[in-house]
Amino acid sequence: MVRDNDLRSVITVSWPPPPAGHGLRHGTDGLVLAELHGEIDLATAHQLRCWLDSLVALVALAPPAYVVDLRPVSFVDSTGLNLLLRLRRRVLEGGGTFSVLCTPGTRRLLRAHGTLDVFDPATTWTGPAPV
């Protein structure tokens, strides 16, 4: 038997601040630019995933363009790449667009991981300026 006072929220949407070192910018045209820093690996993935999920959940009403800037990232392991693939899938399923910026070193990593064609990263941003 379930009583009204026994019910608890199962899924909550929150807007946590970005994990330490990471940044977020919004453009006036719906652009969301997430700038990631440091290491993206098993040790940092959970907190980063929660933050990135909140970005997708809170702007789901008007699918924007998402850009993930990996240029300041010093290390990415397979957990980090899977996190980015998950984010990309969620953005595209929600009707948004997804782009990645990265260094030539990260491009080599994506090639070795077999995801270079999936992400199709750029090395510089030529779109509208985030604010």
Side-chain angles (χ1 to χ4, degrees):
M1 172 184 228
V2 176
R3 295 185 302 264
D4 287 338
N5 61 358
D6 290 338
L7 300 177
R8 294 185 198 123
S9 178
V10 176
I11 299 174
T12 59
V13 177
S14 64
W15 184 262
H22 304 296
L24 177 67
R25 295 184 189 181
H26 293 280
T28 56
D29 60 349
L31 170 72
V32 173
L33 187 138
E35 186 178 87
L36 306 184
H37 290 261
E39 298 180 353
I40 311 298
D41 57 13
L42 183 60
T44 62
H46 176 72
Q47 186 180 17
L48 188 56
R49 184 185 72 224
C50 292
W51 177 61
L52 293 173
D53 283 352
S54 73
L55 299 182
V56 176
L58 289 175
V59 290
L61 298 175
Y66 288 82
V67 177
V68 176
D69 189 353
L70 298 175
R71 293 175 297 180
V73 171
S74 60
F75 176 79
V76 181
D77 70 1
S78 61
T79 303
L81 290 174
N82 285 325
L83 174 70
L84 294 171
L85 287 168
R86 179 179 185 272
L87 174 64
R88 178 186 174 275
R89 178 182 48 83
R90 292 190 69 214
V91 167
L92 296 178
E93 286 175 353
T97 62
F98 185 85
S99 303
V100 172
L101 300 173
C102 68
T103 64
T106 305
R107 284 182 64 86
R108 286 190 295 277
L109 172 70
L110 295 176
R111 180 176 289 115
H113 190 261
T115 56
L116 183 64
D117 291 337
V118 173
F119 286 120
D120 190 25
T123 55
T124 59
W125 178 245
T126 58
V131 291

